[in-house]
Amino acid sequence: MTRSRRTIPVLVVSCFIALASCSQGSRGHTAAAPSSSPAANPLTGENPSDNPVVAVKIEDTALGRPQVGVDKADIVYVEQVEGGLTRLLAVFNSTLPTVEPVRSTRPSDPELALQFGHIIFVASGGSRAGIAPLDKSPLRAVINDRGGPGFSRDPKRPAPENLRANLARIAAKINGPKAKSIGLVWSTRLTAASTRAGGLVRTRVGSTQVTFQWSRRLHRYVRIIDGQVQHADDGNVIATPNVIVEFCRITVYAKDRDVLGNPAEYTHTIGHGRAVVFRDGRRIEGTWSRQAVDDGTTLRTTDGGAFVLAPGGAWFVLVAANAPLA
C-alpha cells in the first residue's frame, strides 16, 4: 500500500513536526535508568528487557510505506543496497512487535548484526549469493522462504511488500541471547566539550536522500522523506533521540545482483572512520572504530571522549566516506 505525498520543503517542515507530535506514541520504554547503572538496557540506556535481541530486514522504499513496527525498534541502521536504494536493519529488544514489510538479507548484514551477539536474524529470504554469508554466520536466522515461524501475509498490500513477522512469536520459538553492550554510552546530560547547532540531518545513502529534523516538542529527530514527516502504520511518528552518521567504506559485491543486474553494495562496519552524532538539537563531530566482527562499535568525540547518547535508542545512517552531510 502506498500513499500519495505532496512535496514540502524541509525548511518549512517544522510546522508539520509540531502537528505530528500529537500522534507520537510510546515506544514501549519506561523511565531512563542512569547510564552507569548495571540495570540499564545497553541498547537504550533505559530499563532492561528480558526479551532476546531480534534484528529484522525491512523495506525502505515508497512501496513499503507506511512501515509497521519500525517506530518501536531500539536501534535502526539505514544501509545502501543495490541500485542506490536503502533498506533498514532494525534491532528490537525492549518490545517485540509485528513488523512489516520484511525483506531479504544482504551480504554485509551478518557483519553488522554480529556486534549484538549470536542474535535472532529475521528476513524474507535472499539470493543464493546474498544469503550465503548469513548461512556461514552463527546468527540464528529465521527465513520465511525456508518455512521459518511467525510469518504471515498482509491482505491489504501486494507482494512482496506484504510480509509480516510476529517477533514475539518468533522469540518464543527460537532461543536467542539477551541484550549486551555494543559500546554505546547513555546519559540524559549532553557532556561533549564541543558542539554546534544540529537541528537538521541531511545526507545521502547511495542515491537516496536521508533527512531527520529536530523537534523541540518531541525532543526527538523526526524522519523526513520528500518533505513529509514519516509515520508508522499505527500513526506514530518515526523519530529517535539520536542520529549517528557513520562514514564507512562501501564496495561493490558483484556476486549478488538484483533482477536488473545491479550489484549489491557491501557496507564495511569493521574498521574506522568519521562519525557525527546528533542529539538534543546539537551536532558533535568524532570518529567510530570496530576491530572485529564480535566487537561493538566505539564512538569517540574529536577530543577523545566517548560520545554520550540520549537514552531511548538511536538510528545509524551508514554512508560512504565521501557522502555529503548538511
Side-chain angles (χ1 to χ4, degrees):
M1 179 173 65
T2 59
R3 292 179 177 177
S4 61
R5 290 179 173 83
R6 180 171 57 89
T7 300
I8 304 167
V10 172
L11 292 178
V12 300
V13 79
S14 57
C15 63
F16 291 89
I17 294 174
L19 293 172
S21 65
C22 298
S23 66
Q24 173 66 29
S26 170
R27 293 177 58 249
H29 296 310
T30 52
S35 61
S36 59
S37 169
N41 187 326
L43 304 187
T44 64
E46 298 181 322
N47 286 350
S49 169
D50 287 330
N51 295 325
V53 179
V54 184
V56 188
K57 201 60 183 286
I58 299 176
E59 174 72 49
D60 196 36
T61 68
L63 292 174
R65 301 185 196 115
Q67 297 146 328
V68 177
V70 70
D71 55 308
K72 296 174 176 63
D74 294 318
I75 305 286
V76 180
Y77 294 90
V78 183
E79 56 181 346
Q80 182 178 348
V81 292
E82 59 283 339
L85 301 177
T86 60
R87 283 202 180 160
L88 307 180
L89 185 67
V91 181
F92 297 85
N93 177 248
S94 298
T95 61
L96 297 178
T98 293
V99 178
E100 179 186 1
V102 180
R103 298 303 306 271
S104 56
T105 186
R106 292 298 188 275
S108 58
D109 288 334
E111 178 180 303
L112 176 60
L114 278 168
Q115 65 186 305
F116 294 90
H118 299 174
I119 62 172
I120 300 169
F121 185 96
V122 178
S124 61
S127 68
R128 181 177 297 180
I131 207 168
L134 179 62
D135 287 340
K136 294 176 182 176
S137 81
L139 292 168
R140 292 161 168 81
V142 179
I143 306 298
N144 176 70
D145 291 352
R146 295 174 176 174
F151 293 102
S152 62
R153 293 286 178 179
D154 182 350
K156 301 191 300 293
R157 302 196 197 201
E161 287 82 18
N162 67 346
L163 183 63
R164 303 174 73 104
N166 184 320
L167 302 190
R169 186 174 300 171
I170 290 171
K173 295 284 187 180
I174 307 296
N175 184 29
K178 296 181 182 180
K180 68 169 189 175
S181 175
I182 62 165
L184 304 179
V185 180
W186 307 91
S187 176
T188 55
R189 294 179 58 226
L190 175 57
T191 59
S194 177
T195 72
R196 61 187 178 95
L200 175 67
V201 185
R202 185 165 55 203
T203 186
R204 190 168 292 277
V205 178
S207 58
T208 302
Q209 183 169 297
V210 176
T211 303
F212 290 84
Q213 179 84 39
W214 174 249
S215 165
R216 284 195 181 96
R217 184 168 183 177
L218 294 179
H219 210 73
R220 286 173 170 260
Y221 285 90
V222 175
R223 193 174 189 200
I224 308 293
I225 298 178
D226 294 333
Q228 296 223 13
V229 173
Q230 294 302 292
H231 295 78
D233 188 68
D234 59 6
N236 285 346
V237 176
I238 297 175
T240 176
N242 308 280
V243 178
I244 300 97
V245 181
E246 190 172 321
F247 291 80
C248 304
R249 185 167 66 96
I250 299 177
T251 58
V252 173
Y253 194 87
K255 291 185 290 185
D256 184 25
R257 295 178 179 269
D258 66 12
V259 294
L260 299 177
N262 298 309
E265 302 286 343
Y266 193 108
T267 300
H268 297 264
T269 52
I270 297 172
H272 59 88
R274 179 187 175 203
V276 184
V277 168
F278 295 81
R279 62 160 289 181
D280 298 317
R282 306 301 295 175
R283 170 175 173 157
I284 309 108
E285 298 281 341
T287 62
W288 69 271
S289 63
R290 184 176 171 215
Q291 299 301 314
V293 72
D294 291 327
D295 292 340
T297 301
T298 299
L299 299 170
R300 295 202 172 277
T301 61
T302 52
D303 60 6
F307 274 123
V308 178
L309 304 180
W315 279 56
F316 285 77
V317 186
L318 305 180
V319 302
N322 60 351
L325 177 60

